[in-house]
Amino acid sequence: MTKRDVLVALQALVPNRYVGLLAGAALAVSMRRGASIGLEHPMLRFADGPVLPASAFGPSAHAVASFVGLMAFWAIVAGALAVAAPALAPRGPYEPLRQRVRQRVRQWPARLGVGGRRRALAVAGAAVVAGGWTLFQTTIAADFETAEAQLAWRADYERAYARLDGAPEPRPVALAATVDLRPEAQEADVAGTLRVVNRAAVPIDTVWVTVRRDLDLGALTLDGVAPARSDARFGMHAFARALAPGDTAALAFRVGVRSRGWSADGGDRSVVGDGTYLTSMRVVPEVGYLSSYEVEDARERRRLGLPPKSEAPPEPAPVATVMTLDLTVSTAPGQTPVAPGDLRQSWTEDGRPHARFVTEAPVTPVFGIASARYERHAVEHEGVTVEVYAHPDHGANVPRMLHAATTSLDVLGAAWGPYPHPTLRIAEVPAGWRFAAFAFPGLIAFTEDRGFLTDPSDADRLDLISRRVAHEVAHQWWGHTARPTGGPGDVFLVETMAKYGEQKVIRALHGEGQVARLVAYDRDRYAWGRAEAAGPEPPLAAVVDQPHLYYGKGAVVMNGLHGLLGEGTLDQALASLMRTDRRISPDDWREAIRAAAPPEARALVDDWTRRVVLYELAVERATVVPRADGRFDVSVALHAARTEGGRSLPLHEVLEVGLYDADPTGGSAPLAVHAVRVRTGSTVAQIVSDVRPAFVAVDPFVRRVDVDPSDQVAPSGRERRRSTPCA
C-alpha cells in the first residue's frame, strides 16, 4: 500500500475534506521531521525505517532486519487502514465517525458470517502480535531512549561524578588485546589488559573506570581484584586500589559488542557482514571521569539546573598520553583484518584468519580495526610500506591514492621530520559513516563513496582523492606526533595544520594554481558558515567546534602565512613543535611562528590567529598602455581595507596582483604575479608586463580572508564601480 492510499484512507475516515488535508499534511511532516517535533519512537512515524546506504560491501544485516521489521509493521497498519476506510466511509447524509463505528460493528457479524469472523479475529490477532513484537524490538530490545531521557542521563552523570573531573588518575601506557570479530553475527568479543601508571606527584587512593553502557561487560578487574562498587546506570566502576606515584596496575577487561532490536537509524554498524569498522573508543574501557558525557549546550544546562561550564579548561597533563599496542584480531573466513602497527604474524585457525599487530613505539591511545573481503595493494617507498586495502571492485583510484600517500610522506617528512611508522595503511570502509576519512596512528579509514568511488576524470574539478589522502597523512604529524594540550584551539593545531599539509602536497602534485582553487573553496566555506553561525566568532587560535573556522578560515590563514613567511621558514617553525616529550598549545604555536617571522610580520600573525580580522580587496580599474620596447605599462587601481567587528583597522601590507590572458574565475593560470605594497583606501600600482593582460586580479592565490571576493577581478582597459562591501 502506498502513501497515497493512506492519505485516501484518512480522507475517508475524516468527514471534513479540509481536516483530512490537514491530517495528510501532518502525516507527511511526521514522516520527514517526526523526530524534531517529539515523535522520536519509530512506531510513531509512518513508514519510517533505516536508510540502507548503497554500498558494494552490502547493507548491515541489523539495518536490514530493522528495515524489514518496521516496514512489515507499517504494511499491516496500512492494510488495516485500507480495509477499515471503505467500511467506515460516510454514506449519504453526514454521520459522525463514532456513530459509523458503532453501526458497522453491529452490522459486521451478520455480514461476515462465522468463517469471516474467524478470519477477522485471526487477522486482528496477527496485527496485535506484530504490533507487540515491533514494540518489544524497538523499545526493550533496542534500549530506546528519547533525546530528553539521554539529556537527563548526561545531567545525572555530571551531578554524580563531576567531582572526579581533574582528580589525579592513572594513565594508560600499554594495551594487549584480543579482538574476535564475528561479522556474520554482527558481534565482537574483546578481551585485553590495559596497563596504567600513576604519573601524578601524589598518591591515588581510588581508580575509577568507565565502560560504555551499550557493551556486554563480561569481566573487569584491577590487578585481579573486582571493583569495590559499580554503578551500572553510568558504567562507572571504582577500584579500592591505592597507587603511589610511579606505581603501575593491570586493568583486565572482557566486553562484547552486540546488535539488538530494531531502530530507525539502523543501529550500531561497527561490526557488519563485510566492511567492519570498530574503534577503540567503542570497546576499550576508559580511566576516570569522561567530560565528553556532559551536557554542552548552555541553554540546556540552565534548563536542567546545571551550573555554567567553566571557560577555562582543566590544567592539562604536561606529557601526552601515549601507549603501545599489541592487538590480535580474528575475523570471518575470506576476510582480511587490518589494524595499526607492524604485522608480526598472520595465521588461520579453525578456518578463521588471525593477525597480530604491534607498535614498537608508544602511539596516541586511539585505534581502529577494519575487516572485509579486501584486495591488498602495496608499494615500498623509502623504507615505508604503503598499503591500500580496497573492495575488489574498487581498484580504479588505488594508484592515485598510493601516489598521493607516497608524495605526502616525501613532502611532509621533508618539512616536519620522518614519518614515525614503518607502515602506512589505508583501509576502505562502507559508505554511510559521517566522515570522509579518519586518521589513526599508521592507519587511515577511508569511506568508499568519498574516495574509492570518486570520479577523478574531470580535469576541472579539484583532486579530491589526493587532497583527502594528504590531509589524513598530515595527521600523522599533527595530532599523532604534535599532540595538543586540550581545550580551545586544539582543533586549530590538529585540523588547520593538516589543511596546511594538504596544501603542501597539492602544491607538489599540481602547482600553485590548484592550491589557489582549493583555498578559494575553503574561503567560501568560511563565508557560508560565518553567515549561519550564531554568537560571536572566536579567534582561530581559540576555536572549539566550528568547522567553517578550523577548516575554511584556517586554510586561508595558513596559505597567507606561506606567502608571508615563505615555505621554508614556516615549515622550520612548525617542525620545532614536533615534540614527543610534551604537549603543545596554541601559545606554543604562536611563539614558534613569531620567532621565525620577521619583525614586520609578527603583528599579522597575531591579527590572523588571535583576532577576527577581515579584508576587503577590490580591483577598481586596470588600464594597459603599449610601450616602445614592446612591453606594456599596466596601471591597476586597488581598494583595500581591514576590519574587526565592523571597526576599520589600518592596512599597510604587500599584496599580490596577478595578470591574466583569460578570466581567472574560469580557472586560468596567471601570466605573471607582482608584489604590490598597498595602504588603507586606494592604491595605484604601476606594473611593467612582457605580455598584454586581459584581466587583472588582486590576491590571486587567496592569501587574505575576504568573504566577498567578487570585486577582486577586473578586465583590463575598463573601470568598474566597486560593489558595496557586506557588513
Side-chain angles (χ1 to χ4, degrees), residues 436-501:
F438 192 92
F440 300 99
L443 172 66
I444 298 169
F446 212 138
T447 55
E448 61 177 317
D449 56 327
R450 300 179 71 178
F452 288 86
L453 299 182
T454 300
D455 181 8
S457 61
D458 187 351
D460 293 331
R461 294 182 61 185
L462 292 169
D463 186 353
L464 296 178
I465 299 168
S466 299
R467 167 194 163 194
R468 285 172 177 153
V469 170
H471 184 96
E472 301 308 322
V473 174
H475 278 310
Q476 302 302 317
W477 284 268
W478 296 103
H480 292 310
T481 300
R483 302 177 179 96
T485 54
D490 269 13
V491 285
F492 166 69
L493 296 173
V494 175
E495 295 298 345
T496 302
M497 295 306 104
K499 288 293 291 184
Y500 174 60

Side-chain angles (χ1 to χ4, degrees), residues 171-187:
R171 300 286 178 177
V173 293
L175 173 67
T178 299
V179 182
D180 292 322
L181 303 174
R182 293 191 298 281
E184 65 283 356
Q186 290 199 222
E187 296 179 351

Side-chain angles (χ1 to χ4, degrees), residues 381 386 400-414 424 466 469-470 473 477 501 504-510:
H381 183 77
V386 182
R400 184 181 290 259
M401 289 182 170
L402 288 170
H403 182 53
T406 54
T407 302
S408 298
L409 293 177
D410 290 341
V411 172
L412 305 182
L424 173 63
S466 299
V469 170
V473 174
W477 284 268
K504 287 178 62 63
V505 175
I506 293 300
R507 184 177 288 111
L509 288 172
H510 301 295

Side-chain angles (χ1 to χ4, degrees), residues 176-354:
T178 299
V179 182
D180 292 322
L181 303 174
R182 293 191 298 281
E184 65 283 356
Q186 290 199 222
E187 296 179 351
D189 287 307
V190 182
T193 300
L194 185 67
R195 189 161 60 87
V196 297
V197 61
N198 179 11
R199 296 192 185 278
V202 297
I204 297 174
D205 58 3
T206 303
V207 177
W208 288 88
V209 176
T210 304
V211 180
R212 282 180 56 132
R213 55 184 178 145
D214 58 354
L215 292 173
D216 281 354
L217 179 58
L220 187 68
T221 62
L222 187 67
D223 284 344
V225 179
R229 59 185 183 276
S230 295
D231 185 341
R233 184 187 178 201
F234 299 113
M236 292 290 284
H237 306 269
F239 293 90
R241 168 72 163 89
L243 293 177
D247 279 358
T248 63
L251 178 68
F253 63 92
R254 187 174 71 252
V255 297
V257 177
R258 306 287 184 264
S259 296
R260 300 185 181 90
W262 301 341
S263 58
D265 62 0
D268 183 32
R269 301 170 52 244
S270 298
V271 184
V272 295
D274 190 19
T276 288
Y277 172 60
L278 185 66
T279 69
S280 58
M281 296 84 83
R282 179 74 176 84
V283 294
V284 178
E286 299 198 51
V287 178
Y289 174 80
L290 298 185
S291 59
S292 59
Y293 282 1
E294 294 179 352
V295 178
E296 294 292 336
D297 187 85
R299 291 170 296 183
E300 294 291 357
R301 293 185 66 84
R302 287 194 298 270
R303 184 176 67 83
L304 294 167
L306 296 172
K309 295 201 75 169
S310 173
E311 294 295 330
E315 188 68 24
V319 179
T321 298
V322 292
M323 66 183 184
T324 57
L325 298 176
D326 188 338
L327 305 174
T328 299
V329 186
S330 64
T331 188
Q335 297 197 16
T336 302
V338 182
D342 300 335
L343 178 59
R344 293 292 180 84
Q345 186 181 4
S346 60
W347 69 98
T348 300
E349 184 177 322
D350 296 330
R352 290 171 52 82
H354 290 63

Side-chain angles (χ1 to χ4, degrees), residues 22-49 70 74 138 144-148 263-265:
L22 287 175
L27 177 67
V29 170
S30 71
M31 292 168 64
R32 290 185 172 270
R33 304 292 182 194
S36 63
I37 59 175
L39 303 177
E40 298 179 50
H41 197 283
M43 292 181 71
L44 298 178
R45 304 194 299 270
F46 178 76
D48 190 25
L70 287 169
W74 285 114
T138 56
F144 174 79
E145 277 187 333
T146 63
E148 184 62 29
S263 58
D265 62 0

Side-chain angles (χ1 to χ4, degrees), residues 33-109:
R33 304 292 182 194
S36 63
I37 59 175
L39 303 177
E40 298 179 50
H41 197 283
M43 292 181 71
L44 298 178
R45 304 194 299 270
F46 178 76
D48 190 25
V51 175
L52 303 179
S55 172
F57 291 96
S60 156
H62 180 248
V64 171
S66 297
F67 181 86
V68 172
L70 287 169
M71 292 305 103
F73 166 73
W74 285 114
I76 292 173
V77 172
L81 284 174
V83 172
L88 295 175
R91 298 179 177 87
Y94 169 73
E95 296 175 290
L97 180 61
R98 183 179 302 176
Q99 179 179 334
R100 278 179 276 155
V101 171
R102 286 199 300 265
Q103 184 180 15
R104 303 303 189 269
V105 168
R106 288 195 301 267
Q107 295 172 349
W108 279 346

